[in-house]
């Protein structure tokens, strides 16, 4: 049985869930909704992102070490996480959180382009 496609499908599903949960949480942060404090809202994204990361590491190991685009994805993931925390938690004003959310989504879209094209130039390849 080829586990690559099973893990890739799980990874892509987690990607979709992760960005959906991010968008919801970022919106709630911008409008200062109390829903952001719900227990499920605080826990579920971490579970989904853990699945996403574990699958990504397994896929990277299966693909092999000589893939510069994977390093690009890792660096951009760190940027996405950092800016995402500003969008959801650390931004002091609504405007700051909104701008950080837009930057996070742009970085996310770039990461998807890197993954699809297997090229660090992403959509510009």
């Amino acid at each position: 049985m080829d586990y690559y496609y099973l893990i890739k499908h799980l990874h892509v599903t987690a990607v979709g869930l992760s960005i959906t949960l991010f968008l919801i949480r970022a919106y709630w942060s911008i409008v200062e909704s109390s829903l952001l404090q719900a227990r499920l809202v605080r826990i579920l994204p971490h579970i989904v992102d853990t699945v996403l990361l574990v699958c990504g590491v397994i896929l990277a190991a299966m693909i092999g070490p000589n893939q510069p685009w994977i390093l690009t994805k890792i660096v951009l993931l760190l940027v996405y996480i950092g800016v995402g925390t500003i969008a959801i938690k650390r931004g002091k004003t609504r405007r700051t959180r909104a701008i950080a959310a837009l930057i996070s989504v742009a970085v996310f879209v770039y990461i998807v382009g890197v993954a699809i094209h297997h090229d660090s130039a992403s959509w510009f390849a």
Side-chain angles (χ1 to χ4, degrees):
M1 180 176 196
D2 191 4
Y3 291 106
Y4 175 83
Y5 292 105
L6 174 67
I7 295 167
K8 183 177 178 182
H9 180 70
L10 185 57
H11 181 71
V12 171
T13 300
V15 166
L17 287 171
S18 181
I19 191 62
T20 300
L21 291 169
F22 173 78
L23 290 170
I24 292 167
R25 291 166 59 222
Y27 173 75
W28 286 343
S29 178
I30 293 164
V31 300
E32 299 177 348
S33 172
S34 62
L35 293 171
L36 195 56
Q37 301 309 316
R39 184 175 179 171
L40 183 63
V41 174
R42 289 183 293 135
I43 295 171
L44 186 59
H46 297 293
I47 295 169
V48 170
D49 291 344
T50 298
V51 170
L52 174 62
L53 185 58
V54 167
C55 288
V57 168
I58 293 169
L59 288 170
M62 290 174 136
I63 292 170
N66 289 333
Q67 305 295 328
W69 61 273
I70 292 176
L71 179 59
T72 300
K73 281 182 64 175
I74 292 168
V75 169
L76 289 172
L77 175 64
L78 295 174
V79 172
Y80 172 75
I81 291 168
V83 178
T85 62
I86 295 169
I88 293 174
K89 291 181 182 178
R90 306 200 192 304
K92 293 184 184 200
T93 67
R94 288 180 178 196
R95 184 173 189 266
T96 300
R97 292 190 301 271
I99 291 169
L102 290 173
I103 293 169
S104 294
V105 170
V107 172
F108 176 85
V109 169
Y110 198 91
I111 292 170
V112 170
V114 171
I116 289 171
H117 296 286
H118 292 183
D119 191 315
S120 296
S122 185
W123 300 104
F124 304 105

